[in-house]
Amino acid sequence: MQLDSSCMHGPKKRAGAVAAIEGVRTPSLVARAVADLTDHHLIVGKGAQDFARNLGFKIEDDLNTPHSRELWLEWKRRIDPSHYPDPKTRAEAGDRARRAMVAEGLIDREHVYGTINCDGVNAKGEVCGVTTTSGLSWKIPGRVGDSPILGAGLYVDGDVGAAGSTGRGEANLYNLSSFMIVENMRRGMHPKDAGLDVLRRIKANTIEKRLQTANGNPNFHLNFYIINGKGEYAGVSMYEAHYAVCTEGGAQTLATEPLLAGTPPD
């Protein structure tokens, strides 16, 4: 299992990330170590694992459970990905297998994906953020998404705010979405407006038919979690979704502000 993570600290104006790291349960802590202990931002693959090992992180042979390995073998049996089909064929086969396995109760619909973004601001207006993920389920080995890439899955500017994402990583990579959201806030936009503006750009840039619904809208989920130095926040999404917030009033789950009504095809 390959994991990706990035973290940024506003006051220190430092960041660190790891990608395609195996055997480490807490990649976000390794990403923090990259920021604190090295002059680099991103360390990947075996180099990231060696870095973690040298710092005393436990390296496990396999983070898969017997159950997750059984599900992966079943998914692989259904789509035969070893022949590296073209993106459209692979996506359609993978989606069919995923939908069927959800319908059969083999996979929990709410746990097909596993990305988490967390951004925070303290009473002094200091901002930080982290995004961590196990990546797209059953991806081609070596695939790295948006989570460890500054400006895509996460971006923090200590003088402005933070933005992070979950959803289709490739859409974020193509648009450097989190960076654009923070830049929108720098120009005075509220977190909600800053995020919706970028979602409109992503929608306009999604021109491949395989990534569109019948009416031409994006057929994928994409969510942004945004906060500024004043403590104003927003959750925005391509389609209806939810996000969690913790303020002086406690923790709560809120509906995001969607760009499009309904949900994309499951």
Side-chain angles (χ1 to χ4, degrees), residues 198-207 216-218 238 259-260:
V198 170
L199 283 170
R200 294 186 190 98
R201 174 180 295 215
I202 293 169
K203 177 178 178 293
N205 287 342
T206 303
I207 61 174
N217 288 325
M238 190 67 74
L259 179 67
L260 303 171

Side-chain angles (χ1 to χ4, degrees), residues 124-263:
K124 295 186 289 185
E126 296 174 334
V127 185
C128 63
V130 61
T131 298
T132 190
T133 184
S134 59
L136 182 68
S137 299
W138 307 310
K139 57 187 176 287
I140 294 174
R143 179 262 188 185
V144 174
D146 64 312
S147 295
I149 307 301
L150 295 188
L154 176 71
Y155 196 73
V156 176
D157 186 311
D159 299 324
V160 181
S165 177
T166 60
R168 178 171 166 78
E170 282 70 17
N172 268 346
L173 288 165
Y174 294 153
N175 293 277
L176 283 180
S177 308
S178 293
F179 173 79
M180 287 299 302
I181 290 171
V182 173
E183 289 303 293
N184 279 346
M185 290 193 292
R186 189 191 305 279
R187 293 191 290 269
M189 295 177 71
H190 185 276
K192 182 186 77 172
D193 299 323
L196 288 173
D197 176 71
V198 170
L199 283 170
R200 294 186 190 98
R201 174 180 295 215
I202 293 169
K203 177 178 178 293
N205 287 342
T206 303
I207 61 174
E208 290 186 73
K209 294 299 183 182
R210 68 183 180 88
L211 298 176
Q212 294 178 335
T213 62
N215 60 4
N217 288 325
N219 63 10
F220 50 80
H221 283 285
L222 193 56
N223 311 310
F224 293 114
Y225 315 97
I226 313 161
I227 192 167
N228 64 22
K230 295 184 291 185
E232 297 172 328
Y233 59 85
V236 302
S237 54
M238 190 67 74
Y239 293 92
E240 297 168 8
H242 293 84
Y243 70 113
V245 173
C246 186
T247 66
E248 65 275 8
Q252 53 185 323
T253 300
L254 303 175
T256 60
E257 183 74 26
L259 179 67
L260 303 171
T263 59

Side-chain angles (χ1 to χ4, degrees), residues 1-5 18-22 24-27 63 133-135:
M1 181 183 293
Q2 298 176 333
L3 306 174
D4 306 326
S5 186
V18 292
I21 186 173
E22 298 184 1
V24 179
R25 288 182 178 268
T26 54
L63 293 180
T133 184
S134 59

Side-chain angles (χ1 to χ4, degrees), residues 71-112:
L71 291 176
W72 172 72
L73 290 172
E74 175 63 16
W75 182 84
K76 185 176 180 180
R77 182 189 69 78
R78 295 188 185 207
I79 76 164
D80 188 21
S82 61
H83 296 111
Y84 294 96
D86 65 81
K88 182 176 186 295
T89 301
R90 180 182 176 86
E92 290 176 348
D95 287 344
R96 281 197 301 271
R98 188 177 295 111
R99 288 195 298 269
M101 292 175 73
V102 168
E104 294 168 22
L106 296 174
I107 304 174
D108 182 351
R109 181 185 298 274
E110 300 299 322
H111 293 88
V112 175

